[in-house]
Amino acid sequence: MSFNSFGRIFRFTTWGESHGPALGAVVDGCPPGLALTAADIQPWLDKRRPGTSRFTTQRQEPDQVRILSGVFEAPDGIQRTTGTPISLMIENVDQRSKDYSEVALAYRPGHADYAYDAKYGFRDYRGGGRSSARETAARVAAGAVARAVIPEVRIRAYLVELGGDAIDRAAFDDAEIDRNPFFCPDPQAAARWEAIMDRTRKAGSSVGAIVECVAEGVPAGWGAPLYAKLDSELAAACMSINAVKGVEIGDGFEAARLTGEQNADPMRPDSLDNGGDGHPLFLANHAGGIAGGIATGQPVVVRVALKPTSSILTPVETITRDGEASEIRTKGRHDPCVGIRAVPVVEAMVALVLADQKLLHRAQTGR
Amino acid sequence: MSFNSFGRIFRFTTWGESHGPALGAVVDGCPPGLALTAADIQPWLDKRRPGTSRFTTQRQEPDQVRILSGVFEAPDGIQRTTGTPISLMIENVDQRSKDYSEVALAYRPGHADYAYDAKYGFRDYRGGGRSSARETAARVAAGAVARAVIPEVRIRAYLVELGGDAIDRAAFDDAEIDRNPFFCPDPQAAARWEAIMDRTRKAGSSVGAIVECVAEGVPAGWGAPLYAKLDSELAAACMSINAVKGVEIGDGFEAARLTGEQNADPMRPDSLDNGGDGHPLFLANHAGGIAGGIATGQPVVVRVALKPTSSILTPVETITRDGEASEIRTKGRHDPCVGIRAVPVVEAMVALVLADQKLLHRAQTGR
Amino acid sequence: MSFNSFGRIFRFTTWGESHGPALGAVVDGCPPGLALTAADIQPWLDKRRPGTSRFTTQRQEPDQVRILSGVFEAPDGIQRTTGTPISLMIENVDQRSKDYSEVALAYRPGHADYAYDAKYGFRDYRGGGRSSARETAARVAAGAVARAVIPEVRIRAYLVELGGDAIDRAAFDDAEIDRNPFFCPDPQAAARWEAIMDRTRKAGSSVGAIVECVAEGVPAGWGAPLYAKLDSELAAACMSINAVKGVEIGDGFEAARLTGEQNADPMRPDSLDNGGDGHPLFLANHAGGIAGGIATGQPVVVRVALKPTSSILTPVETITRDGEASEIRTKGRHDPCVGIRAVPVVEAMVALVLADQKLLHRAQTGR
Amino acid sequence: MSFNSFGRIFRFTTWGESHGPALGAVVDGCPPGLALTAADIQPWLDKRRPGTSRFTTQRQEPDQVRILSGVFEAPDGIQRTTGTPISLMIENVDQRSKDYSEVALAYRPGHADYAYDAKYGFRDYRGGGRSSARETAARVAAGAVARAVIPEVRIRAYLVELGGDAIDRAAFDDAEIDRNPFFCPDPQAAARWEAIMDRTRKAGSSVGAIVECVAEGVPAGWGAPLYAKLDSELAAACMSINAVKGVEIGDGFEAARLTGEQNADPMRPDSLDNGGDGHPLFLANHAGGIAGGIATGQPVVVRVALKPTSSILTPVETITRDGEASEIRTKGRHDPCVGIRAVPVVEAMVALVLADQKLLHRAQTGR
């Protein structure tokens, strides 16, 4: 129950400003006994790191995570979670505060600058302060811990659209996702996106994107109606990522355009088809794996829409802190498409929600 | 912070099954001194009531609400909230349990039947039990209390699309919304929807819809980063409504297809134009009134996608409780388009979130 | 996480004023599948009921509880919890509002009257409104549901002191507790207390009491450091009961007067003594069953101090709502010793805390 | 809603093991605009620090706190809270892990060792891990932030009893508290306690103590019935401190031995006596400043009982991790009386509760 914490049992709290000395997360409620070292977390941060390609922001941050508490060497010699809070810290190294000097005085349209001042009276304007996407590094670190809680689930996110250009689902190749800088499963789309991005970057403009995330292996039953519904929690979690303006499950907004017959997910006993394990076989997945807020056992499918970065070179009308008319053009190093680096963040949020739901389900049902 | 409660300060808990004796809500954290009687709540329930037109379900429920606690006659003779929990109760009258007899044995695809059994082991199958849309009556009642907390805000919801047929924004007429059974602001679209609905109902089929809700007068500053963001809370609240598969803010998924220049909301000092009150004038509202999770003062715009009802006459393959292959066709009285009656529910959820955010903002900032 | 809810997973919310139409509780997070009918709850309410002896208040309330949601007939024909919220309601019958007429104008010292007005601006003064001990009926009903969650625990409360007169521990007879109107385990003390009470009642005065509650069978491990410690939760739960001014665990305040050697609870392997089950045998229980906030497996021992009722016939100086000097004597029907009827309430609160802790433990550890 | 967080609005989460690299707290919900630097926090930590006299543990920890987030230089040049989470970190320097080698194998009776293993399966045994009193450094740091939120309140704690020896209330001298190593307001008692402590330390034994804390200036109205009552929150907060076995408010357990007449706190209009401010004048304070869970405006009085440290040199029977009979004597550096250093911790917890209650009250009532 707080502003900067998420989750009911598996609960994390993040802290840290973009240009402060560090940022971090405290993860509470983690089950004891899970193997966990900084090396388990670092790869997920590296996936998110800025400066890894010419298509993302050129700020160079090593994003090295340290675990300051909550783990200990178990009797078997392996470092494991103790069940106490796990404090993760990442130090900021490459802040270029001078790039933000103009920002202190005028509000960047589309950013949270004006809103923050309206709420708090003043703000740490450097690098977007708390509203910066750097906070997502803390989430990704926490998400890595969450994955240890749900080894039965496989989570995979990727871009399905960039700058309005969509992938071809028929050409979907899972292995392609890690081969290009866009987490794109369609090699031809990836090539087109390279051109779009070069064009956008040179123009000092920005584009939006749509991220899709699939979680397989989620047991039927996770999710707690009515106000801890799995889809509600996923919606809140994803909407809390910077620049997200929409979240949908399964067919999402398209479902609004189908009839009941088209939208149905018929069921068959699994045994009829392949000597299954007692769980039904679904013949479709319009629901995106969730019905009535509870997982059905189908793959959970979430899609997230990210708007284009508001940090662009084109001057935009705005006002200053003192209410005077002004104009602003944002210099500094920015992502022309924040959707790309949002991919590991979406994965992390999905992992965090599922870990919490697993423990909630276990709490109430013992399963 | 539990499964059936929503909100942090202004917090409501709902209870009740569709075919149980009653359903209700307990509203906690309501400020004291607000004028409140059952007559203030009843109109919002009437707006939601089934059986009010041939286009909605034919179950006849008076949905009369009683206030059982939390109000008292103040020294000025007016009944007002005391600051203690407000218990609201609505009795169920018109349950036709025999219509659901077949449901006890087989799972209705697309409904929560299977998922509930997977979670709890068994369920009250009558009328969809707790997963039924009747629970939304409790929300609407709670939402009426929330409105008393935020008199400065005007909330209005309406359908913008039904069965894939969209309104013409240029023909938007606010007064039209209450003149047709569809909460439709475009009279010509309303006429087309009448035909669509008659066709759908006769076929025993169903269609989806998209609801849009606008809240005007939300002061800049409401909303609490990072995990009590106004958009996150709205997303969670709306996603928790039955049949919702997508939520978007402002331009939503369309923002993913715009460039930074197209998506910008430039600002001007209000005084330049009309001797304003110190708040900026925004030249556009792609953001939908929220930036960085905090309200900007612009109208807050939310859009919600509802899938078509899964209760259709066409037989659909399914399995029984015992895992046998079967077929089901849902008889009984159902909404061919649940989106229509979701309109007042969306309004209620938006009111509930805004009331909570107002108090949260006041808690932390004193404003 | 609100004002009128308690618990994190097994969470209940109470509502209702003393002279309102009804009062009740909504219990959320209850595991599904537990056998539960109103008949399981009623006996606990009867134990608490006013008017059962000449030593307690003469208000006659049948306190009949109804279950309005959250239970259903399972496939085996037994009514069981469904895992959805359980709404319990008790109707008020015997309100004598005229007995409180004087109270509307002047504050009763020691009661919450002044404090409530200071907080809310006005209050439902009838019968003490929300601050009345009648609210405890709702807790006792919720506590009965909690007991179904923890069948492995045996909870027993009784008075150890009344009006400064203490029981003789050497004469402790468990069977005696239900044989006298004082829940007193020492027959001779019960006789003395009868005299004290008659004297007190005739004088229109009141006395305090100390309740002790023992919970046996609490598995080692329940309790979650640091801020959901079992003793913290018990302290909060018991302190929230009307008229409670102190809570202690094990030796409590006496522990402050012991040395480390005197306060130690030495341990032996259980097998040395009686082929046990792997749990240690404790040679003493100064800790009261809790160490570091976690249950040790020893009996959990809590003691609660209740002040004398502030509702007495002797006039006491006070002020009116308008700030004028005045005097008040409380007429009406009151408990000369609220400690007596607090016994089942303490049991209920201990049950509620233990049920919640069981689920929390299960959530984090799977055990 | 978590295990290691406390508070609803002004909410802090602590982390860190006694022998880990660091410990800390994240404070969320702090109002923006409050002046805050590390220098504001350090004095409170110094007050708590081990090794400051021969009467407390000889572990030398500088306990230097760093503020890693949540503050920024405001336009007026002063560093102030931004309203975002405040991360505080204190590094551990002087761990002597070898002093705990024996502890890894056998359970120290009275400590949380056995309970932790029963809950989590294994534990960081060094220095008591998470159950160590070192965690209280994090609380004290958070408490310093809380004080900035409630400048209208004056909080003062001191020992009223040590090793069974009580102060003489008639000799109470506020200025004496900071002049002796015991936070004792009675100089003669302080002299006696010096002898008691020398004797105890030489014998390798330990004694308990009782801390009293008074908060003046708490406005009438703070506190939220029923389950966020001010006394409940204080009880939970204080009971969560290591070694606490009892908490009482006002007359506490003694109130159970008074009659209604003796326990009454009569009221007079303040103006009668000294042209006051509209608040009543109380003629006594048996209630300890709280009635019905809400502050009355009287000084809030809390008393906390601490048991003697279980870390003593005398061998005590215990069992090993493998369930074998054993004996343990605790070497290493320990407090013969943890009650002394608990004084600033109690102050911190009271500050934290009051800060949270202030914001809660403001949330619901706007005052």
Side-chain angles (χ1 to χ4, degrees):
Chain A
M1 174 164 303
S2 193
F3 311 119
N4 290 281
S5 299
F6 191 89
R8 290 168 171 71
I9 298 285
F10 190 89
R11 183 181 183 84
F12 71 99
T13 302
T14 65
W15 56 267
E17 277 73 62
S18 178
H19 283 227
L23 49 92
V26 180
V27 178
D28 196 7
C30 186
L34 306 179
L36 184 73
T37 64
D40 294 317
I41 303 174
Q42 197 58 54
W44 303 104
L45 284 168
D46 294 342
K47 190 170 166 183
R48 181 209 154 276
R49 230 160 40 85
T52 48
S53 79
R54 71 174 187 275
F55 300 112
T56 57
T57 186
Q58 292 310 300
R59 175 172 172 177
Q60 295 294 338
E61 286 286 352
D63 278 350
Q64 292 302 300
V65 67
R66 292 176 60 195
I67 302 181
L68 299 177
S69 68
V71 292
F72 192 57
E73 187 181 299
D76 66 0
I78 294 181
Q79 181 168 294
R80 296 183 181 278
T81 54
T82 54
T84 58
I86 301 167
S87 179
L88 308 169
M89 189 165 82
I90 297 163
E91 303 201 43
N92 280 327
V93 170
D94 187 25
Q95 312 98 310
R96 277 197 229 165
S97 293
K98 59 175 167 62
D99 286 338
Y100 288 93
S101 53
E102 196 171 305
V103 168
L105 299 173
Y107 297 127
R108 294 169 295 169
H111 280 272
D113 301 352
Y114 170 70
Y116 262 70
D117 266 7
K119 183 172 187 72
Y120 295 119
F122 81 112
R123 73 195 195 284
D124 178 347
Y125 59 81
R126 305 168 300 166
R130 180 76 174 145
S131 67
S132 157
R134 276 215 40 75
E135 184 270 350
T136 57
R139 300 191 201 204
V140 169
V145 180
R147 288 172 191 273
V149 179
I150 46 170
E152 62 269 57
V153 178
R154 177 177 183 265
I155 299 172
R156 194 75 157 120
Y158 41 86
L159 285 191
V160 291
E161 198 178 299
L162 183 147
D165 182 294
I167 64 168
D168 175 3
R169 295 268 178 183
F172 195 105
D173 179 0
D174 193 274
E176 190 61 30
I177 295 173
D178 292 333
R179 288 199 204 120
N180 58 74
F182 308 110
F183 301 108
C184 178
D186 171 355
Q188 292 188 308
R192 294 194 305 273
W193 295 356
E194 199 167 317
I196 292 176
M197 288 293 288
D198 278 335
R199 204 160 58 224
T200 305
R201 194 169 46 85
K202 290 197 176 88
S205 181
S206 61
V207 289
I210 296 182
V211 178
E212 181 171 285
C213 185
V214 179
E216 293 172 309
V218 178
W222 289 12
L226 266 135
Y227 297 108
K229 283 183 173 183
L230 181 53
D231 42 358
S232 282
E233 297 292 291
L234 288 170
C238 294
M239 194 67 88
S240 78
I241 301 172
N242 299 65
V244 171
K245 301 306 287 186
V247 182
E248 58 183 20
I249 307 286
D251 282 9
F253 277 83
E254 269 312 302
R257 293 146 190 152
L258 300 177
T259 63
E261 292 79 14
Q262 294 167 331
N263 189 253
D265 290 343
M267 286 183 275
R268 278 190 196 155
D270 205 13
S271 53
L272 274 186
D273 292 83
N274 54 0
D277 55 0
H279 296 297
L281 187 71
F282 289 85
L283 303 186
N285 191 15
H286 296 283
I290 303 174
I294 302 177
T296 60
Q298 297 160 293
V300 174
V301 182
V302 188
R303 234 167 349 267
V304 179
L306 292 106
K307 66 171 191 175
T309 314
S310 305
S311 302
I312 53 182
L313 284 179
T314 305
V316 181
E317 275 195 78
T318 186
I319 62 174
T320 65
R321 259 189 81 89
D322 303 318
E324 306 273 328
S326 181
E327 206 179 66
I328 194 167
R329 51 194 318 232
T330 314
K331 297 187 284 287
R333 308 155 293 172
H334 305 282
D335 274 324
C337 178
V338 295
I340 301 173
R341 286 175 52 216
V343 168
V345 183
V346 171
E347 286 186 349
M349 296 313 294
V350 171
L352 285 158
V353 169
L354 288 174
D356 192 39
Q357 289 285 350
K358 173 176 179 173
L359 301 189
L360 274 176
H361 180 65
R362 185 159 78 178
Q364 198 188 14
T365 67
R367 290 197 290 281
Chain B
M1 191 151 294
S2 191
F3 311 118
N4 291 280
S5 299
F6 191 89
R8 290 167 171 70
I9 299 286
F10 190 90
R11 183 180 183 85
F12 71 98
T13 303
T14 65
W15 56 267
E17 277 75 61
S18 178
H19 282 228
L23 48 92
V26 180
V27 178
D28 197 6
C30 185
L34 307 179
L36 184 73
T37 64
D40 295 315
I41 303 174
Q42 198 59 51
W44 302 104
L45 285 168
D46 294 342
K47 188 171 169 183
R48 180 207 155 276
R49 228 161 41 88
T52 48
S53 81
R54 72 174 188 275
F55 300 113
T56 58
T57 185
Q58 293 310 299
R59 175 173 171 176
Q60 295 293 338
E61 287 286 353
D63 277 351
Q64 292 300 301
V65 66
R66 291 175 61 195
I67 303 181
L68 298 177
S69 68
V71 293
F72 192 56
E73 187 181 299
D76 66 359
I78 294 181
Q79 180 168 293
R80 298 182 180 277
T81 54
T82 54
T84 58
I86 300 167
S87 179
L88 308 170
M89 188 166 83
I90 297 163
E91 302 199 44
N92 281 327
V93 170
D94 186 24
Q95 311 100 311
R96 277 197 229 164
S97 292
K98 60 176 167 60
D99 286 337
Y100 288 94
S101 53
E102 196 172 305
V103 169
L105 298 172
Y107 298 126
R108 295 170 295 170
H111 280 270
D113 301 353
Y114 170 70
Y116 262 70
D117 266 7
K119 183 171 187 72
Y120 295 120
F122 81 109
R123 73 194 195 284
D124 177 348
Y125 57 81
R126 303 169 300 166
R130 179 77 173 145
S131 69
S132 157
R134 276 215 39 75
E135 185 269 350
T136 57
R139 301 190 198 204
V140 168
V145 181
R147 288 170 191 270
V149 180
I150 47 169
E152 63 269 57
V153 178
R154 178 177 183 265
I155 300 172
R156 193 75 158 124
Y158 41 86
L159 285 192
V160 292
E161 198 178 298
L162 183 147
D165 182 292
I167 65 169
D168 176 1
R169 296 269 178 184
F172 195 106
D173 179 0
D174 193 274
E176 190 61 30
I177 295 172
D178 291 334
R179 290 202 204 116
N180 59 74
F182 307 110
F183 302 108
C184 178
D186 171 357
Q188 292 188 307
R192 294 194 304 273
W193 294 357
E194 198 166 316
I196 293 175
M197 288 293 287
D198 277 334
R199 205 160 58 226
T200 305
R201 194 168 46 86
K202 291 196 178 84
S205 181
S206 61
V207 289
I210 297 181
V211 177
E212 181 171 284
C213 186
V214 178
E216 294 174 309
V218 179
W222 288 12
L226 268 134
Y227 298 107
K229 284 185 172 182
L230 181 53
D231 43 357
S232 282
E233 297 292 291
L234 288 169
C238 294
M239 195 66 88
S240 78
I241 300 172
N242 298 66
V244 171
K245 299 308 285 187
V247 183
E248 59 183 21
I249 307 286
D251 281 8
F253 276 82
E254 269 312 300
R257 292 145 192 154
L258 301 178
T259 63
E261 293 78 14
Q262 294 167 329
N263 188 253
D265 290 343
M267 286 183 274
R268 277 188 196 158
D270 204 15
S271 52
L272 273 186
D273 293 84
N274 53 2
D277 56 359
H279 295 297
L281 186 73
F282 288 85
L283 304 185
N285 190 16
H286 296 282
I290 303 174
I294 303 177
T296 60
Q298 297 161 294
V300 173
V301 182
V302 187
R303 231 165 353 266
V304 178
L306 293 106
K307 66 172 191 175
T309 314
S310 307
S311 303
I312 53 181
L313 284 180
T314 306
V316 180
E317 275 195 76
T318 185
I319 63 174
T320 64
R321 258 188 82 89
D322 303 318
E324 305 274 326
S326 181
E327 207 178 66
I328 193 165
R329 50 195 317 234
T330 315
K331 297 187 285 285
R333 310 155 292 172
H334 305 284
D335 275 322
C337 178
V338 295
I340 301 172
R341 285 176 52 217
V343 168
V345 183
V346 170
E347 287 186 349
M349 296 313 293
V350 171
L352 286 158
V353 169
L354 288 174
D356 192 40
Q357 289 285 349
K358 173 176 179 174
L359 301 189
L360 273 176
H361 179 66
R362 185 158 78 179
Q364 198 188 13
T365 66
R367 290 196 291 280
Chain C
M1 190 149 297
S2 192
F3 311 118
N4 290 282
S5 300
F6 191 90
R8 290 168 169 71
I9 298 286
F10 190 89
R11 182 181 185 84
F12 71 99
T13 303
T14 65
W15 55 268
E17 277 75 62
S18 177
H19 282 228
L23 49 91
V26 179
V27 178
D28 197 4
C30 185
L34 308 179
L36 184 73
T37 64
D40 295 316
I41 303 175
Q42 198 59 52
W44 303 103
L45 284 167
D46 294 342
K47 189 170 168 182
R48 179 207 156 277
R49 230 163 37 88
T52 49
S53 80
R54 72 175 188 275
F55 301 111
T56 57
T57 186
Q58 293 309 299
R59 174 172 172 177
Q60 296 292 338
E61 287 287 351
D63 277 351
Q64 292 300 301
V65 67
R66 291 175 60 195
I67 303 180
L68 299 176
S69 67
V71 291
F72 192 58
E73 187 181 300
D76 66 0
I78 293 181
Q79 179 169 294
R80 296 182 181 278
T81 54
T82 53
T84 58
I86 300 166
S87 179
L88 308 169
M89 189 165 82
I90 298 164
E91 302 200 43
N92 281 326
V93 170
D94 187 25
Q95 311 99 309
R96 277 196 229 165
S97 292
K98 60 177 167 60
D99 287 337
Y100 288 94
S101 54
E102 195 171 308
V103 168
L105 299 172
Y107 297 126
R108 295 170 295 170
H111 279 271
D113 302 352
Y114 170 69
Y116 262 71
D117 266 7
K119 183 171 187 73
Y120 295 119
F122 82 110
R123 73 194 195 283
D124 178 347
Y125 59 80
R126 303 168 301 166
R130 179 75 174 146
S131 69
S132 158
R134 274 209 48 69
E135 184 270 351
T136 58
R139 301 190 199 204
V140 168
V145 180
R147 288 171 192 271
V149 180
I150 48 170
E152 62 268 57
V153 178
R154 178 177 184 264
I155 299 172
R156 195 74 158 123
Y158 40 86
L159 285 192
V160 292
E161 199 178 298
L162 183 148
D165 182 293
I167 65 169
D168 176 1
R169 294 269 177 184
F172 195 106
D173 179 1
D174 193 274
E176 190 61 29
I177 295 172
D178 291 332
R179 289 202 204 116
N180 59 75
F182 308 110
F183 301 108
C184 177
D186 170 357
Q188 292 187 308
R192 295 193 304 271
W193 294 356
E194 198 166 317
I196 294 176
M197 288 293 287
D198 277 334
R199 206 160 57 226
T200 305
R201 195 169 46 86
K202 291 197 177 83
S205 181
S206 61
V207 289
I210 296 181
V211 178
E212 181 171 285
C213 185
V214 178
E216 294 173 307
V218 178
W222 288 12
L226 268 135
Y227 298 108
K229 283 184 172 183
L230 180 53
D231 43 356
S232 282
E233 297 292 290
L234 288 170
C238 293
M239 195 67 90
S240 77
I241 300 172
N242 298 67
V244 171
K245 300 307 285 185
V247 182
E248 58 182 21
I249 307 286
D251 282 9
F253 277 83
E254 271 311 303
R257 294 147 191 152
L258 302 179
T259 64
E261 292 79 13
Q262 295 167 330
N263 188 253
D265 290 343
M267 285 183 275
R268 279 190 194 155
D270 204 15
S271 52
L272 274 187
D273 293 84
N274 53 1
D277 56 1
H279 295 297
L281 186 71
F282 289 85
L283 303 186
N285 191 16
H286 296 283
I290 303 174
I294 302 177
T296 60
Q298 297 161 293
V300 173
V301 182
V302 188
R303 232 167 352 267
V304 178
L306 293 107
K307 67 172 191 175
T309 315
S310 305
S311 302
I312 53 180
L313 284 180
T314 305
V316 180
E317 276 193 75
T318 185
I319 62 174
T320 64
R321 260 188 79 90
D322 303 317
E324 306 273 328
S326 182
E327 208 179 65
I328 193 165
R329 52 194 317 230
T330 314
K331 295 188 286 285
R333 307 156 293 174
H334 304 283
D335 275 323
C337 179
V338 295
I340 301 171
R341 286 176 52 217
V343 167
V345 183
V346 170
E347 285 186 350
M349 295 314 293
V350 170
L352 285 157
V353 169
L354 289 174
D356 192 39
Q357 289 285 350
K358 173 175 179 174
L359 301 189
L360 273 176
H361 179 66
R362 185 158 78 179
Q364 197 187 14
T365 66
R367 290 197 290 280
Chain D
M1 176 164 299
S2 193
F3 311 119
N4 290 282
S5 299
F6 191 89
R8 290 168 169 72
I9 299 285
F10 190 90
R11 183 181 183 85
F12 71 99
T13 302
T14 65
W15 55 268
E17 276 74 63
S18 179
H19 282 226
L23 48 92
V26 179
V27 178
D28 196 6
C30 186
L34 307 179
L36 184 74
T37 64
D40 295 316
I41 302 175
Q42 199 58 53
W44 303 104
L45 284 167
D46 294 342
K47 189 171 169 184
R48 181 208 154 276
R49 230 160 40 86
T52 47
S53 79
R54 72 173 188 277
F55 301 111
T56 58
T57 187
Q58 292 310 300
R59 175 173 171 176
Q60 296 293 338
E61 286 286 351
D63 276 352
Q64 293 299 302
V65 67
R66 292 176 60 196
I67 302 180
L68 299 176
S69 68
V71 292
F72 192 56
E73 188 180 298
D76 66 359
I78 293 181
Q79 180 169 293
R80 296 184 181 277
T81 54
T82 54
T84 58
I86 300 166
S87 180
L88 309 169
M89 189 165 81
I90 297 163
E91 302 201 43
N92 281 327
V93 170
D94 188 25
Q95 310 99 311
R96 277 196 228 165
S97 293
K98 61 176 168 59
D99 286 338
Y100 288 92
S101 53
E102 195 171 306
V103 169
L105 298 173
Y107 297 127
R108 294 169 296 169
H111 280 271
D113 301 353
Y114 170 69
Y116 262 71
D117 266 8
K119 183 172 186 72
Y120 295 120
F122 82 110
R123 73 195 194 285
D124 179 348
Y125 58 81
R126 304 168 300 167
R130 178 75 173 147
S131 67
S132 157
R134 277 215 37 76
E135 184 269 349
T136 58
R139 300 192 199 204
V140 169
V145 180
R147 287 172 192 273
V149 179
I150 48 170
E152 63 268 60
V153 179
R154 178 177 182 265
I155 298 172
R156 194 79 157 117
Y158 41 86
L159 286 191
V160 292
E161 198 178 299
L162 182 147
D165 183 294
I167 64 168
D168 175 1
R169 295 267 179 184
F172 194 105
D173 180 0
D174 194 275
E176 190 62 29
I177 295 173
D178 291 333
R179 289 199 204 120
N180 58 74
F182 308 109
F183 301 108
C184 178
D186 171 358
Q188 294 188 307
R192 296 193 304 271
W193 294 357
E194 199 167 318
I196 293 176
M197 288 294 288
D198 278 335
R199 204 159 59 224
T200 305
R201 195 169 45 85
K202 292 197 177 85
S205 181
S206 62
V207 288
I210 297 181
V211 178
E212 180 171 285
C213 184
V214 179
E216 293 171 318
V218 178
W222 289 12
L226 270 132
Y227 298 108
K229 284 183 171 183
L230 181 54
D231 42 358
S232 282
E233 297 292 291
L234 289 169
C238 294
M239 195 67 89
S240 77
I241 300 172
N242 297 65
V244 171
K245 300 307 287 185
V247 182
E248 59 182 20
I249 307 285
D251 282 9
F253 277 83
E254 269 312 303
R257 292 146 192 153
L258 301 178
T259 63
E261 292 77 16
Q262 294 167 330
N263 189 253
D265 290 342
M267 287 183 275
R268 277 189 197 157
D270 204 13
S271 52
L272 274 186
D273 293 83
N274 54 0
D277 55 359
H279 296 297
L281 187 71
F282 288 84
L283 303 187
N285 191 15
H286 296 282
I290 304 173
I294 303 176
T296 60
Q298 296 161 295
V300 173
V301 181
V302 188
R303 233 167 350 267
V304 179
L306 291 106
K307 67 172 190 177
T309 314
S310 306
S311 302
I312 52 182
L313 284 179
T314 306
V316 181
E317 277 194 75
T318 185
I319 62 174
T320 63
R321 258 189 81 89
D322 303 318
E324 306 274 326
S326 182
E327 208 180 65
I328 193 166
R329 52 196 316 235
T330 314
K331 297 187 284 286
R333 307 154 295 172
H334 305 283
D335 274 324
C337 178
V338 295
I340 300 172
R341 287 175 52 217
V343 168
V345 183
V346 171
E347 286 186 349
M349 295 314 293
V350 171
L352 286 158
V353 169
L354 289 174
D356 192 38
Q357 288 286 350
K358 173 175 179 174
L359 301 189
L360 274 176
H361 179 65
R362 185 158 79 179
Q364 198 189 13
T365 67
R367 290 197 289 281

